[in-house]
Amino acid sequence: MDLNYRNIDWGSVWTDQMNKHLDSGNKKECASVWEEKESAKRFWEMSLRDEQKRARDVISKLYISPESRVLDIGAGPGSLAIPISEKVKHVTAVEPSKGMIEVFEDNIAEYKCDNISLIKKRWEDIDVEKDLDGNYDVVIASFSLGMPDIRKAIEDMLAVASGRIYLYWFAGINSRDEHFMELWPRLHGTESYSKPHSDILYSVLYQMGIHPNMEVFTFERSEIYESLEEAVDKLSDNFSLENDHQRTILEEYLEENLKKENGSYIYDASTRRVRIWWDTQNN
Ligand SMILES: C[S@@+](CC[C@H](N)C(=O)[O-])C[C@H]1O[C@@H](n2cnc3c(N)ncnc32)[C@H](O)[C@@H]1O
């Protein structure tokens, strides 16, 4: 075995892990999960919680001014793009999913944002010369790195960035991944693989000669269900249940593994996350 890590192509490690992830589990691509307007709306409503605390935290750490031009890749329903647009000159948002685009367009109208342009494409389908008007002072991709070729995705970000790039992503296996890896084989007879995490992302960047700053934090969230039946109903879609036998397996698993408090079932949806950023002019 060759143990020289310099010989490892980390971009290929990311691609391999992303493909394994997409071929396993409920086989939904990162972008296609959000095709349904209802799911997109739920995501938007979640982002409004605690007076948009998550967006406020993100924005407080962005290097922006009223003159900044920002590129938001995988903008979703505008959870970051809309509040950012209030503080900068212009936001270009890239978003491919039908449901997210619909909710985003509703939000642009509701919040009367006249400084956001929306490009309805996947990042990997963007022609950086033709579709974009670089250079952007800030490029941000927040939980949207569903790109199989991450190295090319970052090269394209570098091609249009004149200031800082911010990537938000997952740092390590969270409890949802654990449930999936444990349950999926029991339900469907095949393995489940998690997405590639920040360890691989950091190695890709390092191999590209980028030495970014990183901050790891926990995003606390839990879902509370009044009964086991409600937990099974709400989670059955995630696990692509097709028959009663699978429902029983899920029921037994949740009964055994969910925390119980005063008769309610608590699903821990907390995630370890990472903020990665660097100045493209000084790295
Ligand atoms: C979890 S949402 C995050 C939305 C927003 N960035 C935020 O932090 O609130 C992920 C978004 O990334 C988008 N996405 C996934 N893969 C993408 C790709 N290859 N190119 C562009 N957007 C992508 C999805 O459609 C989805 O809207």
Side-chain angles (χ1 to χ4, degrees):
M1 190 175 21
D2 181 359
L3 288 176
N4 186 346
Y5 75 95
R6 287 178 200 282
N7 294 340
I8 297 173
D9 173 359
W10 289 99
S12 301
V13 175
W14 174 282
T15 306
D16 184 59
Q17 183 69 21
M18 186 60 90
N19 287 337
K20 280 194 177 116
H21 168 69
L22 296 176
D23 285 343
S24 70
N26 51 15
K27 291 202 169 49
K28 281 188 177 167
E29 236 186 293
C30 193
S32 65
V33 181
W34 307 110
E35 289 300 308
E36 311 272 333
K37 191 171 182 183
E38 274 318 299
S39 327
K41 251 189 150 144
R42 274 201 300 278
F43 186 87
W44 168 252
E45 276 153 18
M46 228 157 58
S47 75
L48 294 179
R49 277 189 199 163
D50 302 325
E51 297 167 342
Q52 295 179 286
K53 182 175 181 315
R54 183 175 69 92
R56 284 189 286 113
D57 283 350
V58 170
I59 293 170
S60 71
K61 289 173 176 165
L62 291 181
Y63 195 70
I64 46 171
S65 77
E67 291 311 306
S68 302
R69 295 174 67 253
V70 175
L71 174 66
D72 182 3
I73 300 167
S79 22
L80 300 178
I82 292 203
I84 290 174
S85 73
E86 291 164 8
K87 299 184 180 296
V88 301
K89 190 168 183 186
H90 193 267
V91 178
T92 300
V94 175
E95 176 53 50
S97 302
K98 191 166 158 287
M100 287 295 201
I101 290 169
E102 283 171 18
V103 179
F104 199 170
E105 286 178 331
D106 290 350
N107 286 335
I108 289 176
E110 187 180 335
Y111 290 83
K112 299 188 176 48
C113 305
D114 58 6
N115 62 343
I116 297 183
S117 42
L118 174 57
I119 303 176
K120 302 172 188 176
K121 285 187 176 183
R122 295 189 309 170
W123 179 244
E124 51 271 48
D125 299 332
I126 293 255
D127 179 328
V128 289
E129 304 257 309
K130 289 196 192 127
D131 295 326
L132 297 174
D133 186 16
N135 294 319
Y136 296 95
D137 303 299
V138 164
V139 174
I140 179 164
S142 165
F143 301 102
S144 55
L145 300 177
M147 303 104 185
D149 188 346
I150 193 67
R151 194 179 167 116
K152 169 77 167 56
I154 291 162
E155 279 166 1
D156 283 346
M157 291 177 203
L158 289 169
V160 293
S162 60
R164 297 190 184 190
I165 298 183
Y166 298 84
L167 308 176
Y168 280 80
W169 197 237
F170 300 99
I173 303 278
N174 54 56
S175 67
R176 189 177 174 279
D177 294 326
E178 277 168 5
H179 292 318
F180 251 86
M181 286 188 287
E182 184 66 36
L183 248 178
W184 194 266
R186 295 197 212 167
L187 292 167
H188 300 281
T190 51
E191 291 225 28
S192 168
Y193 294 89
S194 66
K195 295 181 183 81
H197 289 139
S198 56
D199 50 346
I200 303 177
L201 182 56
Y202 182 80
S203 301
V204 172
L205 293 170
Y206 195 92
Q207 214 156 43
M208 292 173 77
I210 298 164
H211 306 121
N213 305 287
M214 296 178 74
E215 183 192 350
V216 178
F217 57 99
T218 301
F219 184 76
E220 308 272 0
R221 194 166 77 81
S222 54
E223 289 163 20
I224 301 172
Y225 304 111
E226 295 303 316
S227 63
L228 182 60
E229 200 183 358
E230 189 193 342
V232 175
D233 284 346
K234 291 271 166 62
L235 295 169
S236 63
D237 232 23
N238 289 2
F239 292 101
S240 307
L241 299 195
E242 285 150 9
N243 56 47
D244 287 347
H245 175 61
Q246 289 169 332
R247 198 180 157 89
T248 309
I249 295 175
L250 179 61
E251 206 169 83
E252 285 171 4
Y253 178 86
L254 295 179
E255 176 63 43
E256 207 174 298
N257 289 283
L258 293 197
K259 220 168 91 185
K260 284 153 222 136
E261 250 176 47
N262 305 326
S264 297
Y265 288 75
I266 300 163
Y267 182 77
D268 177 12
S270 301
T271 39
R272 288 287 279 167
R273 299 180 165 194
V274 62
R275 180 169 82 102
I276 297 180
W277 82 103
W278 71 100
D279 185 345
T280 58
Q281 301 306 305
N282 184 21
N283 200 273

